[in-house]
Amino acid sequence: MPFFTGVRARLRGRRGLCLLVGTLDVVLDSSARVAPYRILHQTQDSQVYWAVACGSSRKEITKHWEWLENNLLQTLSIFDNEEDITTFVKGKIHGIIAEENKNQQPQSEEDPGKFKEAELKMRKQFGMPEVEKLVNYYSCSYWKGRVPRQGWLYLTVNHLCFYSFLLGKEVTLVIQWVDVTQLEKNATLLFPECIKVSTRDSELYFSMFLNINETFKLMEQLANIAMRQLLDNESFLEDKSLPKPRKPLKNISALKRDLDARAKNECYRATFRLPKDECLDGHTDCTLWTPFNKMHIPGQMFVSNNYICFASKAEEACHLIIPLREVTIVEKADSSSVLPSPLSISTRSKMTFFFANLKDRDFLVQRISDFLQRTPSKKPCGSDREWKWNFGDPGCEPWEVPTASQGLLKLFRRNSEELLGPKGAKEKMKEESWNIHFFEYGRGMCMYRTAKTRELVQKGIPENLRGELWLLFSGAWNEMVTHPGYYADLVEKSMGKYNLATEEIERDLHRSMPEHPAFQNELGIAALRRVLTAYAFRNPTIGYCQAMNIVTSVLLLYCNEEEAFWLLVALCERMLPDYYNTRVVGALVDQGIFEELTREYLPQLSEKMQDLGVISTISLSWFLTLFLSVMPFESAVVIVDCFFYEGIKFILQVSLAILDANMEKLLQCCDEGEAMTILGRYLDNVVNRQSVSPPIPHLHALLTSGDDPPLEIDIFELIKTSYEKFSNLKADDIEQMRFKQRLKVIQSLEDTAKKSVVRAVSGDIGFSIEELEELYVVFKAKYLMSCYWGNNRAAAARRDQSLPYLEQYRIDMEQFKDLFISLTPWSCGTHTPVLAGRLFRLLDENKDSLINFKEFVTGMSGMYHGDLTEKLKVLYKLHLPPALSPEETESALEATSYFTEDVTTEGNTTLATPTSQFRQELQKNESCQEKGNFIIINRCEEKGTSPQDYRYYLRMWAKEKESRKETIKDLPKMSQEQFIELCKTLYNMFSEDPVEQELYHAIATVASLLLRIGEVGKKFSNRPMKKSEDCKTHNTQDPVSEEESPTSEQSQNSAVEQQPQADHEDKTPGDAQPGKTQEENQTLGDGAGEGQGSPLQLLSDDETKDDMSMSSYSMVSTGSLQCEDIADDTVLVGCEGGSSAARYGSTIDTDWSISFEQILASMLTETALVNYFEKKVNILQKIKDQKKVERQFSSSSDYELSSVSG
């Protein structure tokens, strides 16, 4: 073709140059690899080649070549100038590329052009769908062994992908974020400043980043989103729907900007203890005038939709929170050399704050004004307002609840002499110190929070101020005043309602501080019940968890009910995230942090504690109850004071101080019990000598050390020591450690879940433990994929963490079809999805359109394990209701008329249960009124049966519950229509087999034989049908055949079944004959002794084997029915249109039926069919192939360029 040349890359001759060019293309361009086939454009007088098209195979490049011939070549002939030809070709190709990119990229995206191009290449390179969003991509090196491979790292919402092509070697990696167990940024001699990504199977090292900190931070965010998905589907979905950016930035994706904004929001909310829905609008450098020390403190101002906050650059210098609901005036003051660009903010509490050195003051004032206009002007509710609820609690007035306006401690304060003694004086001094602080630093939410504030907290908050300051420091006050009436509404809605959470609450109510007088009466118990129940209804995900009752009871001592409720909200949802759920994930995460800190600060003790296994035991009880359950109440409440101000950082440093104080004794311990006794005795003797409340008996008071008096430890000395030795703990460092431990904990819990599920199903399934574990991974991955690729909220909602592990992951029919197609040993081509749908309906016993893992592997096992009979039994069931849906065949409803509800309503086609048999016998044989279960009593009264009859029926009902192995006798017969569907499936199943011609011949022979057997059987069923009408009036008077035939199938609900007993030789094919098969009946009908055996004689042979005996097998194979060789494509037509349809018409014959025994016996005559169903298939290989397709594991592959180009 003129103007165009086809080129194939080869590795002969100038191999080194070719590899070098390919490597440079990869390193310098994100397109990743050199295509082996190219089409180049060149004019005769030019020395320059232009790449027009490329392809990875000859077939692909041929398509491009044909397009050029058909669409471009004729047009080029009209040009006279070669330069015009080149210009036209280049413009045409660029236009096609631009149009293609435009079609593939959603119009709403704001990503820059270069980023869009990288995203399209990522999807093509790694086979990702359009819903998989690229967050960012980086140039880096992947260390394979000791060789760095330069390439491109793509970070998507759900995957980490890497591609490299270096000197002929191609490396492709795809890792799901949910599979990452550890992310580390470190530097070693072998790997200089690298990022280590660990999964269960491998460790991957990436280095040579231009900005390793940015890359690592983004990896952490994406992995954290994935962990939230495993822990809580709702949080994952919220992270997925990120807000739109306001100012697009060059070369940064919109998703990357949104994730950065989300990280800043989380840090902002955590720093200032703000509600979870607060969004940071912006921040700027400034200075704050602090009147208490007459200084301008440098820091940053943060503005969000409801708050203005300030944090000094020097930690502990000053923190400030100004709710916009409190702001009255925002004005720009006059600038001066001392106070440039000042801004004045006044509040309702008569406080004025001066900010200066603002870079863009006008814009800032405008933003604050906008937010102020949106702020609702509601009167803030105070803690002193009266609430009157008609709860009718015992011990209080009918229309008033005392705990609605004050804490229980005020209601149950005992007259203590301590209030008048030295302790009372100390308490007064504390209150006076706080009053002075309020005067200098302000009171309420707008208080300046400085190092002085922390010092006062460490000395203990006075009892009268405890509730107020807990609300302020925790941020609970903000949520309470912005949700007036919320708690009262929750209490009203939850009153009188019961669920699992309320049952657990009732069980634990009287275990909550039973030693305190406030909870020794119904008033305190009722308040505790209301708060816990209201929270369980607010947050059903958590509901109720043990330890919440202990913490809430302490909150109620110092706060009214509404305040205690909002403190509990702050505790469970912000300060101790994920602590109070069924798996206490948050507590396990902080336990991991505690172990890590112990290794860092107390290395000598750490190893000993690990050997004893003590940390995992002590940390949960310490952290979950904030020491309230292990320390005297007067001392533990001081710990709670500091916790609400400092957060989890304080709990960790106090825990370290306790271990440090007992180090010598712990190092000498021999077992866990001894260590626990030492720590328990120590904590029980931590005293608060300043407490004005009478001491409350503590549960650990029984721990004594012989005759030696216990050594008391002052709580304030313990707190002081913890700050002196471990105060360098930083909140930011703890959050970083929390992320690291969260990965480890959640993956550990997922592994535990997998082992539990595999152990639960392994006894009933033929797969090995290894195979079940691999199947579980694939099953779970398919579910998770539906959450983030299916864009289906209902899929995520299917998972309920409160359910047993086996029920937590469930898939629908479409997901099952995908797995079935990739894993089934019975590949049926285009018919495979149809077969998958039938198997799904068969497995879905509860008809909720979802199946769990056990149901899934049960279906898979039926195809992989067992002998020929078991596999054929599965295939047989797939062509009977309920597997065969009405939509698949026109007369499916007629087919179901053969079976009653006792058979078809269950997921498995089995015999009617003993109870249903018993009921039907009673209905037919007794003229009594049936009403519920009293029918049994009526019959017993009429017949005067003995008590043994009851025991007999009880044994029958007990048998009902026992798992009964299904036999081939239990299977109902198959109609002609269903049999034709079975033949279609077999023909499709054999289409891709190496010996398909032999299999086609075998199934043609078997199908022809079975169709004729069905016709012969129909002859014997037609004659007695005439008598059936006459027998209808007499069928209730013939109890013998039914009472003595308990194994007869209730599914044969036809008039033939009700014929008189005298017609022995005319037994219908609808009756299941355990001893004799249809082939024997057919042979008898041909003249081989019609009078042989009555139905009673036939039914007495119940002990016959499931498999066909040799005598019946030989009757079919050597009988008078000989099969002819029928062409593959005419066997079904020939069978229907031949002797059968010619005589009885062209429609489906509803009288025709065939049994499973007949199908089994016929197929046993064909060696090819026997070999096909008995061959072993390795499911692990199929799982491996399926994982490659679905990208569910990290795969590293090296390809020679020549192998790709071939």
Side-chain angles (χ1 to χ4, degrees):
M1 187 190 300
F3 311 116
F4 297 102
T5 304
V7 179
R8 178 181 176 183
R10 297 183 180 276
L11 297 182
R12 292 192 293 269
R14 303 168 67 184
R15 173 185 171 90
L17 178 61
C18 192
L19 294 180
L20 179 60
V21 171
T23 301
L24 289 175
D25 280 347
V26 172
V27 173
L28 300 177
D29 181 31
S30 61
S31 59
R33 64 171 293 183
V34 180
Y37 294 92
R38 293 186 183 186
I39 299 176
L40 305 178
H41 167 71
Q42 184 192 33
T43 55
Q44 292 181 357
D45 299 333
S46 174
Q47 299 298 317
V48 178
Y49 288 88
W50 296 94
V52 173
C54 62
S56 58
S57 65
R58 185 182 294 274
K59 183 179 179 181
E60 183 180 355
I61 205 67
T62 302
K63 286 184 179 179
H64 296 317
W65 188 271
E66 291 173 352
W67 187 91
L68 290 172
E69 284 183 333
N70 298 330
N71 297 278
L72 210 59
L73 199 58
Q74 293 180 356
T75 308
L76 295 182
S77 61
I78 66 175
F79 288 98
D80 298 329
N81 189 341
E82 291 185 351
E83 291 184 3
D84 293 342
I85 292 175
T86 301
T87 304
F88 176 78
V89 171
K90 289 168 60 180
K92 187 71 173 176
I93 300 301
H94 285 160
I96 293 171
I97 294 173
E99 187 65 27
E100 181 70 16
N101 290 346
K102 181 180 178 182
N103 293 336
Q104 293 187 23
Q105 190 69 29
Q107 296 296 321
S108 60
E109 286 292 340
E110 304 176 23
D111 296 329
K114 190 173 181 182
F115 187 88
K116 290 181 181 179
E117 181 184 351
E119 185 170 40
L120 291 173
K121 290 175 180 176
M122 177 274 298
R123 289 176 186 160
K124 184 177 180 181
Q125 182 66 50
F126 302 102
M128 299 292 179
E130 287 190 14
V131 292
E132 183 69 0
K133 300 295 185 183
L134 178 66
V135 181
N136 213 349
Y137 63 103
Y138 302 93
S139 173
C140 68
S141 291
Y142 161 62
W143 291 79
K144 188 172 175 65
R146 295 191 177 184
V147 180
R149 297 186 178 274
Q150 186 68 23
W152 290 87
L153 181 71
Y154 297 88
L155 304 181
T156 73
V157 173
N158 302 295
H159 296 84
L160 178 152
C161 307
F162 177 81
Y163 184 84
S164 170
F165 181 83
L166 185 67
L167 298 178
K169 299 287 186 180
E170 186 182 52
V171 177
T172 304
L173 296 173
V174 179
I175 305 167
Q176 269 193 313
W177 289 118
V178 291
D179 291 333
V180 174
T181 58
Q182 192 173 12
L183 275 178
E184 285 184 300
K185 182 179 66 175
N186 50 30
T188 63
L189 293 175
L190 185 59
F191 305 115
E193 198 175 29
C194 65
I195 295 176
K196 176 185 173 184
V197 181
S198 301
T199 65
R200 291 177 178 84
D201 306 318
S202 60
E203 293 181 350
L204 310 173
Y205 294 88
F206 301 93
S207 66
M208 300 184 187
F209 291 93
L210 292 177
N211 190 339
I212 192 169
N213 293 325
E214 176 193 327
T215 309
F216 184 71
K217 184 178 179 182
L218 181 58
M219 284 182 170
E220 283 187 326
Q221 286 179 289
L222 294 171
N224 202 35
I225 289 175
M227 292 306 105
R228 296 302 312 179
Q229 177 192 4
L230 292 176
L231 184 62
D232 179 2
N233 285 303
E234 288 301 318
S235 295
F236 170 75
L237 292 172
E238 287 171 10
D239 281 333
K240 190 176 179 183
S241 54
L242 296 170
K244 291 290 181 185
R246 284 194 298 270
K247 294 182 179 180
L249 300 175
K250 188 177 179 181
N251 292 334
I252 299 179
S253 72
L255 193 56
K256 170 70 166 61
R257 292 194 301 269
D258 291 334
L259 287 172
D260 290 342
R262 185 174 297 280
K264 290 180 180 178
N265 280 334
E266 290 174 354
C267 182
Y268 170 64
R269 291 193 292 262
T271 302
F272 298 103
R273 308 272 172 81
L274 299 178
K276 294 180 72 173
D277 57 352
E278 195 66 21
C279 294
L280 178 65
D281 186 69
H283 58 90
T284 182
D285 292 335
C286 67
T287 58
L288 171 67
W289 170 256
T290 51
F292 51 86
N293 60 1
K294 307 296 188 294
M295 291 179 62
H296 291 282
I297 299 179
Q300 280 191 320
M301 174 193 285
F302 301 85
V303 179
S304 59
N305 43 349
N306 294 297
Y307 298 89
I308 300 171
C309 301
F310 174 85
S312 59
K313 291 184 177 179
E315 194 177 5
E316 300 296 332
C318 183
H319 271 210
L320 179 65
I321 302 170
I322 309 173
L324 290 181
R325 63 178 181 272
E326 297 287 337
V327 174
T328 55
I329 300 174
V330 178
E331 59 182 353
K332 295 180 284 188
D334 295 332
S335 296
S336 66
S337 57
V338 180
L339 209 62
S341 302
L343 179 66
S344 169
I345 299 177
S346 301
T347 67
R348 288 192 176 94
S349 57
K350 308 302 181 185
M351 294 182 69
T352 302
F353 304 94
F354 289 98
F355 297 91
N357 294 287
L358 294 162
K359 293 181 181 178
D360 197 347
R361 184 177 60 167
D362 294 339
F363 176 76
L364 180 64
V365 170
Q366 183 60 45
R367 293 301 296 168
I368 295 174
S369 300
D370 292 342
F371 287 132
L372 280 172
Q373 290 178 0
R374 302 175 202 166
T375 303
S377 56
K378 292 182 180 179
K379 183 182 177 182
C381 60
S383 60
D384 57 345
R385 74 173 194 169
E386 286 290 324
W387 291 10
K388 296 182 183 292
W389 300 333
N390 186 13
F391 291 143
D393 289 326
C396 64
E397 295 296 324
W399 293 93
E400 183 176 352
V401 177
T403 53
S405 59
Q406 56 188 325
L408 288 169
L409 204 61
K410 293 181 181 178
L411 295 172
F412 292 91
R413 185 187 297 278
R414 290 171 290 185
N415 295 325
S416 174
E417 297 179 358
E418 305 291 350
L419 293 173
L420 304 175
K423 291 184 178 180
K426 184 72 173 178
E427 185 77 0
K428 290 290 184 184
M429 289 176 61
K430 284 185 183 180
E431 290 183 15
E432 187 60 29
S433 298
W434 276 99
N435 288 330
I436 294 171
H437 185 273
F438 291 149
F439 179 78
E440 293 183 358
Y441 296 85
R443 186 167 187 171
M445 188 56 65
C446 299
M447 176 175 62
Y448 292 98
R449 306 175 194 208
T450 66
K452 178 67 175 176
T453 313
R454 189 176 74 175
E455 289 176 14
L456 287 176
V457 173
Q458 291 174 25
K459 293 177 181 178
I461 298 175
E463 288 190 352
N464 291 334
L465 297 174
R466 191 160 266 148
E468 175 190 344
L469 293 176
W470 282 359
L471 287 165
L472 290 180
F473 295 149
S474 66
W477 179 267
N478 287 321
E479 293 184 281
M480 186 176 75
V481 297
T482 54
H483 295 82
Y486 178 84
Y487 173 68
D489 292 341
L490 265 183
V491 171
E492 187 176 350
K493 290 176 183 177
S494 62
M495 288 287 287
K497 295 184 179 178
Y498 299 96
N499 53 29
L500 181 61
T502 57
E503 289 179 12
E504 293 177 345
I505 290 170
E506 289 297 327
R507 186 177 63 238
D508 287 349
L509 283 176
H510 294 278
R511 305 176 188 173
S512 310
M513 296 188 67
E515 65 278 3
H516 198 285
F519 297 99
Q520 293 171 357
N521 64 86
E522 185 57 28
L523 180 62
I525 294 296
L528 182 59
R529 177 188 294 114
R530 285 192 292 270
V531 174
L532 290 174
T533 305
Y535 185 78
F537 275 81
R538 167 190 164 87
N539 192 344
T541 305
I542 292 178
Y544 171 76
C545 175
Q546 284 188 339
M548 286 173 67
N549 60 320
I550 297 174
V551 175
T552 308
S553 60
V554 174
L555 300 179
L556 280 168
L557 290 175
Y558 299 98
C559 308
N560 65 42
E561 283 188 35
E562 185 185 26
E563 293 167 347
F565 170 79
W566 286 112
L567 276 170
L568 185 62
V569 169
L571 202 68
C572 295
E573 298 176 14
R574 290 188 286 107
M575 301 191 72
L576 296 176
D578 304 321
Y579 259 60
Y580 302 102
N581 55 33
T582 53
R583 300 192 287 181
V584 292
V585 173
L588 293 173
V589 168
D590 287 345
Q591 173 188 306
I593 295 175
F594 184 43
E595 292 179 3
E596 195 172 336
L597 292 174
T598 305
R599 284 193 296 271
E600 180 180 350
Y601 289 98
L602 307 170
Q604 187 179 2
L605 182 60
S606 173
E607 186 175 348
K608 181 71 174 180
M609 296 292 280
Q610 290 293 334
D611 293 340
L612 296 176
V614 174
I615 288 185
S616 60
T617 306
I618 61 175
S619 54
L620 284 181
S621 60
W622 293 1
F623 297 165
L624 278 170
T625 64
L626 304 176
F627 288 93
L628 289 166
S629 63
V630 295
M631 194 180 282
F633 170 75
E634 302 83 11
S635 304
V637 77
V638 182
I639 299 283
V640 178
D641 291 343
C642 297
F643 166 75
F644 277 124
Y645 188 80
E646 295 274 13
I648 193 63
K649 165 184 175 291
F650 176 76
I651 299 295
L652 291 168
Q653 71 183 36
V654 166
S655 301
L656 289 172
I658 293 170
L659 291 186
D660 183 55
N662 293 275
M663 183 183 294
E664 292 184 5
K665 294 180 180 178
L666 290 173
L667 287 174
Q668 297 173 4
C669 288
C670 301
D671 55 38
E672 180 186 3
E674 186 179 354
M676 291 298 296
T677 302
I678 290 171
L679 291 172
R681 186 182 300 123
Y682 177 87
L683 290 171
D684 191 60
N685 290 289
V686 176
V687 298
N688 180 3
R689 298 187 179 94
Q690 300 177 12
S691 174
V692 294
S693 299
I696 298 172
H698 188 56
L699 296 178
H700 286 175
L702 298 175
L703 294 171
T704 59
S705 55
D707 299 329
D708 299 331
L711 179 64
E712 292 186 343
I713 303 95
D714 186 75
I715 180 62
F716 299 105
E717 287 297 323
L718 177 61
I719 292 173
K720 182 180 177 182
T721 302
S722 72
Y723 275 102
E724 289 174 350
K725 293 189 174 182
F726 309 106
S727 62
N728 55 350
L729 285 177
K730 306 295 181 187
D732 292 342
D733 296 337
I734 291 174
E735 285 303 314
Q736 183 73 23
M737 295 166 75
R738 268 182 168 173
F739 161 75
K740 179 181 175 182
Q741 293 297 329
R742 191 179 294 117
L743 281 181
K744 188 183 300 183
V745 167
I746 293 180
Q747 295 292 14
S748 175
L749 290 172
E750 288 296 310
D751 289 341
T752 302
K754 179 175 71 174
K755 291 176 182 176
S756 299
V757 171
V758 168
R759 187 167 56 248
V761 304
S762 59
D764 307 324
I765 306 298
F767 291 114
S768 67
I769 295 295
E770 181 187 5
E771 290 170 337
L772 285 172
E773 288 182 348
E774 290 296 325
L775 282 170
Y776 181 83
V777 171
V778 171
F779 184 86
K780 172 183 161 185
K782 179 59 66 176
Y783 164 81
L784 293 175
M785 188 181 296
S786 71
C787 293
Y788 59 72
W789 279 355
N791 195 24
N792 185 359
R793 181 175 288 269
R798 291 177 206 151
R799 189 182 182 198
D800 185 353
Q801 297 279 359
S802 64
L803 292 174
Y805 287 135
L806 185 60
E807 295 289 338
Q808 286 191 10
Y809 293 115
R810 295 183 294 168
I811 60 175
D812 59 22
M813 182 179 287
E814 292 304 315
Q815 297 165 314
F816 177 78
K817 284 182 179 179
D818 292 342
L819 290 177
F820 182 90
I821 291 170
S822 57
L823 297 178
T824 180
W826 298 342
S827 179
C828 302
T830 56
H831 192 65
T832 307
V834 177
L835 201 63
R838 292 175 185 170
L839 181 58
F840 183 87
R841 286 189 290 272
L842 188 65
L843 296 173
D844 183 21
E845 296 187 11
N846 58 0
K847 307 303 178 188
D848 64 349
S849 299
L850 296 171
I851 62 171
N852 60 29
F853 179 68
K854 183 174 183 179
E855 293 165 336
F856 169 71
V857 293
T858 299
M860 289 289 112
S861 180
M863 296 183 289
Y864 275 94
H865 298 286
D867 54 12
L868 171 69
T869 305
E870 293 299 320
K871 291 179 181 178
L872 282 179
K873 194 190 295 182
V874 173
L875 196 60
Y876 186 85
K877 288 182 187 178
L878 294 181
H879 297 82
L880 296 173
L884 194 71
S885 67
E887 293 78 11
E888 290 181 299
T889 169
E890 290 183 358
S891 17
L893 289 176
E894 294 180 20
T896 58
S897 67
Y898 286 102
F899 318 115
T900 63
E901 285 186 3
D902 289 321
V903 178
T904 57
T905 56
E906 296 298 325
N908 294 326
T909 310
T910 59
L911 276 174
T913 61
T915 302
S916 60
Q917 291 177 6
F918 169 58
R919 283 185 172 276
Q920 291 185 18
E921 287 171 12
L922 288 175
Q923 291 169 356
K924 292 182 179 181
N925 299 312
E926 297 297 322
S927 56
C928 59
Q929 295 293 325
E930 176 179 351
K931 183 144 188 168
N933 293 328
F934 291 105
I935 188 169
I936 302 171
I937 300 173
N938 294 340
R939 179 175 182 181
C940 293
E941 288 175 355
E942 290 178 17
K943 292 199 169 185
T945 50
S946 62
Q948 282 83 357
D949 288 336
Y950 289 106
R951 291 196 292 271
Y952 168 71
Y953 293 124
L954 285 173
R955 284 196 297 272
M956 289 178 65
W957 289 325
K959 278 186 179 179
E960 239 181 58
K961 297 182 178 180
E962 293 178 2
S963 58
R964 177 175 173 272
K965 188 174 181 181
E966 189 180 54
T967 68
I968 58 177
K969 304 188 197 75
D970 301 332
L971 297 173
K973 292 198 173 186
M974 181 176 277
S975 70
Q976 189 178 67
E977 195 170 28
Q978 294 160 354
F979 176 70
I980 292 172
E981 287 293 328
L982 174 62
C983 292
K984 288 179 183 178
T985 299
L986 289 169
Y987 269 80
N988 284 288
M989 190 182 298
F990 302 150
S991 63
E992 300 175 6
D993 197 271
V995 291
E996 59 178 338
Q997 291 304 320
E998 188 179 346
L999 288 168
Y1000 282 152
H1001 173 75
I1003 195 58
T1005 304
V1006 170
S1008 176
L1009 172 62
L1010 289 170
L1011 283 168
R1012 296 185 186 186
I1013 290 175
E1015 289 297 328
V1016 174
K1018 188 177 69 172
K1019 290 180 182 178
F1020 298 100
S1021 66
N1022 284 339
R1023 185 157 39 123
M1025 286 290 285
K1026 297 176 183 178
K1027 304 179 183 179
S1028 62
E1029 295 297 328
D1030 300 330
C1031 298
K1032 285 184 180 178
T1033 58
H1034 304 289
N1035 57 8
T1036 58
Q1037 300 175 10
D1038 183 23
V1040 178
S1041 62
E1042 291 189 35
E1043 289 196 13
E1044 296 189 14
S1045 306
T1047 59
S1048 66
E1049 291 179 20
Q1050 301 299 324
S1051 60
Q1052 310 311 312
N1053 189 20
S1054 64
V1056 182
E1057 179 182 320
Q1058 299 166 3
Q1059 62 183 306
Q1061 183 182 353
D1063 295 324
H1064 306 302
E1065 69 278 14
D1066 294 329
K1067 199 67 179 175
T1068 70
D1071 288 327
Q1073 302 292 340
K1076 302 288 184 178
T1077 63
Q1078 181 66 34
E1079 290 84 26
E1080 296 179 39
N1081 292 334
Q1082 171 217 326
T1083 308
L1084 293 174
D1086 283 341
E1090 292 184 11
Q1092 290 183 14
S1094 67
L1096 292 180
Q1097 291 171 323
L1098 295 174
L1099 289 169
S1100 65
D1101 193 12
D1102 271 342
E1103 304 303 321
T1104 331
K1105 295 180 181 177
D1106 293 346
D1107 294 328
M1108 296 300 299
S1109 63
M1110 276 307 294
S1111 59
S1112 61
Y1113 165 66
S1114 59
M1115 284 180 191
V1116 178
S1117 59
T1118 60
S1120 59
L1121 296 174
Q1122 300 296 328
C1123 296
E1124 301 163 339
D1125 293 342
I1126 300 175
D1128 299 340
D1129 56 347
T1130 59
V1131 57
L1132 292 177
V1133 178
C1135 293
E1136 291 179 13
S1139 59
S1140 311
R1143 287 191 298 266
Y1144 300 102
S1146 59
T1147 59
I1148 295 295
D1149 194 340
T1150 56
D1151 295 329
W1152 187 99
S1153 65
I1154 202 79
S1155 69
F1156 176 74
E1157 294 98 321
Q1158 293 165 334
I1159 293 176
L1160 175 62
S1162 302
M1163 295 190 78
L1164 283 171
T1165 63
E1166 297 294 334
T1167 306
L1169 294 177
V1170 173
N1171 292 340
Y1172 179 85
F1173 283 103
E1174 289 191 343
K1175 68 181 178 183
K1176 300 294 183 183
V1177 182
N1178 184 7
I1179 194 172
L1180 289 177
Q1181 182 60 43
K1182 283 188 170 288
I1183 292 172
K1184 186 177 180 181
D1185 296 339
Q1186 195 272 346
K1187 283 182 175 180
K1188 288 181 180 178
V1189 173
E1190 301 289 0
R1191 306 293 191 183
Q1192 299 303 327
F1193 76 125
S1194 60
S1195 60
S1196 178
S1197 54
D1198 292 346
Y1199 299 109
E1200 293 291 341
L1201 188 59
S1202 58
S1203 66
V1204 177
S1205 64

